[in-house]
Amino acid sequence: MQQETKCIEAGYTPKNGEPRMIPIVQSTTFKYDTSADMGKLFDLEAEGYFYSRLQNPTNDMVAAKIAALEGGSAAMLTSSGQAATFFSVFNIAGAGDHVIASSTIYGGSFNLFNVTMRKMGIDFTFVDPECSDEELEAAFKPNTKAVFGETIANPALIVFDIERFAKAAHKHGVPLIIDNTFATPINCRPFEWGADIVTHSTTKYMDGHDSTVGGAIVDSGNFDWMAHADKFPGLCTPDESYHGITYAEKFGKEKAYITKATVQLMRDLGAVPSAINCYILNLGLESMAVRVQRHCENAQKVAEFLNNNENVSYVTYPGLTGDKYYDRAKKYMPNGTCGVISFGVKGGRKTAEEFMKNLKLAIIATHVADAHTCVLHPASSTHRQMTDEELLAGGVKADMVRLSVGIENVNDIIADLKQALEAAKN
Ligand SMILES: *Cc1c(COP(=O)(O)O)cnc(C)c1O
């Protein structure tokens, strides 16, 4: 199946007389005839459902669709993108371990790593995604357990060199985790470039309608945990909280990582999405291929308009010829990148704020990547916890406006931007 078809068909195939849409199984619990039947589920000897904190049929159908879209072997949904990011790393790194992350990742991921997970005893090194091979090599330590990057960094719009980082990670026997939120599997499939795990904030293009916060983790099934058993005791030695099961042995390369994250992390931390939210996410996924294509077409035209506007000081959009990441974007995302553009308004911070106040169609919102066009000033909102040095390392300028181009008629979007730029000048 092609991606457009998977958006509609993957994850659930109704049998004779069954509902066409995925059923919403809004039930906390599941009934069994004997305690012995249920015991098999608790021992992970049989597959099935017993409590929706661990697994729910609606959630699993939508996870299976996302796994198919990414070309992965297994996937799980979480209640937010943050939970997905946290689980993806915490599943293989604990106190005393070390993780390498790109310095330009999403602000929420940066705080999670740099503040909260440090408190848990996990050490992080943030590397410039454009660092030299020597610098990258020097970041690895004997206790390094993973490398983490973002296909297209939110909001810096830096295109990550997935292939290069995958090679470096594999040389050191650790997986590459890629946050593929902005590109979506419609525009980029990180597994094809060597990534091992993919995460998503499904809140963005996957849902796409400002409706549901959610996250997803997908495993490629390619990383050989047992070949690096000394590094990954959580997967390669018995889990005493699960009757001594060794995940990598019992579930193999394809299922070990997601099974452990489900039966251990979801069991203990409980960041599970509701069945109804998964159903809403599935509605978004069905139209994702056509929406993402339109987002990219609109953003391309808007970026070109801004680039030629005398009140704009710079435009960053990887689809723009002359953009620093144009060539790399063409390699990893030949059909388009995303609908998000960043640019500076001439006159600096004050004029930028004035411009935003004058917008009529585009709304000011802490959000990106959905049907409605919206704008945000990262330095005074999503990234306000960061110091000026951290901001700069994250590729965020203080006068930068982040514009998420929606799927309205592009002429209406451009007209709105044009009048607000004119008004801000005065
Ligand atoms: C929004 C976002 C997240 C966090 O996701 P939530 O669903 O808001 O928790 C993670 N990564 C990226 C790239 C994002 O844009």
Side-chain angles (χ1 to χ4, degrees):
M1 280 195 276
Q2 300 295 310
Q3 294 296 79
E4 295 86 343
T5 313
K6 284 183 199 163
C7 281
I8 316 280
E9 306 290 347
Y12 167 62
T13 310
K15 296 192 195 76
N16 199 30
E18 285 184 350
R20 179 60 203 92
M21 279 306 278
I22 60 166
I24 305 170
V25 183
Q26 192 69 27
S27 182
T28 55
T29 194
F30 300 82
K31 175 247 172 198
Y32 285 91
D33 290 338
T34 69
S35 299
D37 287 345
M38 192 179 284
K40 285 196 193 111
L41 300 179
F42 272 91
D43 287 346
L44 303 181
E45 288 302 332
E47 278 190 43
Y49 299 95
F50 55 95
Y51 190 54
S52 281
R53 168 152 43 78
L54 278 101
Q55 275 185 290
N56 170 286
T58 309
N59 302 25
D60 282 358
M61 289 170 201
V62 182
K65 177 175 282 186
I66 294 174
L69 282 162
E70 286 288 3
S73 61
M76 70 192 285
L77 300 183
T78 56
S79 55
S80 67
Q82 284 300 105
T85 307
F86 175 56
F87 279 24
S88 74
V89 174
F90 196 58
N91 202 32
I92 47 174
D97 290 338
H98 171 256
V99 173
I100 297 170
S102 161
S103 61
T104 60
I105 52 173
Y106 172 67
S109 309
F110 181 80
N111 280 330
L112 168 66
F113 293 166
N114 195 43
V115 180
T116 300
M117 290 181 79
R118 273 196 203 281
K119 285 185 194 158
M120 301 169 79
I122 304 172
D123 185 22
F124 287 86
T125 298
F126 295 94
V127 297
D128 185 329
E130 300 305 314
C131 69
S132 70
D133 287 344
E134 293 71 34
E135 284 168 313
L136 180 55
E137 197 57 32
F140 284 90
K141 300 180 182 184
N143 59 342
T144 302
K145 297 301 163 78
V147 178
F148 188 99
E150 226 168 275
T151 315
I152 308 173
N154 172 10
L157 302 176
I158 291 168
V159 178
F160 195 67
D161 195 347
I162 301 173
E163 211 171 19
R164 174 180 174 226
F165 279 77
K167 278 194 188 121
H170 295 160
K171 187 177 156 203
H172 290 271
V174 301
L176 175 66
I177 307 174
I178 290 290
D179 180 338
N180 198 32
T181 298
F182 265 31
T184 81
I186 300 304
N187 285 340
C188 181
R189 302 214 303 171
F191 295 155
E192 291 171 359
W193 302 101
D196 303 285
I197 311 288
V198 157
T199 62
H200 280 280
S201 166
T202 62
T203 316
K204 312 295 163 52
Y205 290 116
M206 285 196 165
D207 168 57
H209 296 83
D210 272 316
S211 295
T212 46
V213 173
I217 310 172
V218 191
D219 183 6
S220 65
N222 293 333
F223 195 84
D224 191 350
W225 307 104
M226 277 312 224
H228 308 282
D230 54 319
K231 280 190 194 291
F232 304 104
L235 281 156
C236 303
T237 58
D239 178 359
E240 292 315 326
S241 78
Y242 248 109
H243 324 290
I245 279 175
T246 299
Y247 297 102
E249 267 173 7
K250 190 168 170 70
F251 299 101
K253 279 199 306 193
E254 288 75 21
K255 299 264 186 272
Y257 176 90
I258 292 294
T259 302
K260 176 178 177 289
T262 302
V263 305
Q264 199 184 66
L265 299 187
M266 198 56 100
R267 177 196 64 184
D268 296 350
L269 298 165
V272 70
S274 66
I276 180 79
N277 273 7
C278 295
Y279 176 88
I280 295 169
L281 167 59
N282 182 62
L283 288 180
L285 288 169
E286 294 208 342
S287 64
M288 179 169 66
V290 283
R291 283 186 296 102
V292 164
Q293 192 187 348
R294 174 63 78 88
H295 277 291
C296 293
E297 282 169 16
N298 280 2
Q300 187 67 35
K301 288 181 188 152
V302 170
E304 283 163 13
F305 158 77
L306 290 170
N307 208 28
N308 293 321
N309 188 286
E310 56 179 19
N311 304 318
V312 171
S313 48
Y314 61 87
V315 182
T316 306
Y317 183 65
L320 219 46
T321 20
D323 185 89
K324 189 173 171 200
Y325 298 98
Y326 179 81
D327 290 335
R328 195 180 291 159
K330 277 278 166 283
K331 169 181 169 178
Y332 289 106
M333 292 164 276
N335 299 324
T337 52
C338 65
V340 182
I341 298 169
S342 66
F343 64 97
V345 180
K346 269 189 197 155
R349 183 185 281 255
K350 266 209 86 164
T351 324
E353 278 170 12
E354 202 56 32
F355 156 75
M356 288 176 60
K357 218 168 68 187
N358 278 289
L359 288 166
K360 295 191 170 76
L361 175 70
I363 56 161
I364 298 176
T366 312
H367 195 36
V368 282
D370 75 73
H372 310 89
T373 294
C374 60
V375 286
L376 183 79
H377 186 223
S380 60
S381 53
T382 45
H383 286 59
R384 67 184 296 137
Q385 316 301 340
M386 294 169 88
T387 65
D388 280 2
E389 293 80 58
E390 285 171 347
L391 269 182
L392 220 57
V396 183
K397 294 193 183 101
D399 66 342
M400 184 180 107
V401 174
R402 183 181 71 181
L403 169 67
S404 175
V405 180
I407 53 177
E408 301 95 339
N409 185 298
V410 73
N411 296 327
D412 290 333
I413 301 170
I414 290 174
D416 188 35
L417 296 169
K418 195 171 176 183
Q419 65 79 23
L421 282 165
E422 277 302 313
K425 213 169 56 172
N426 308 317

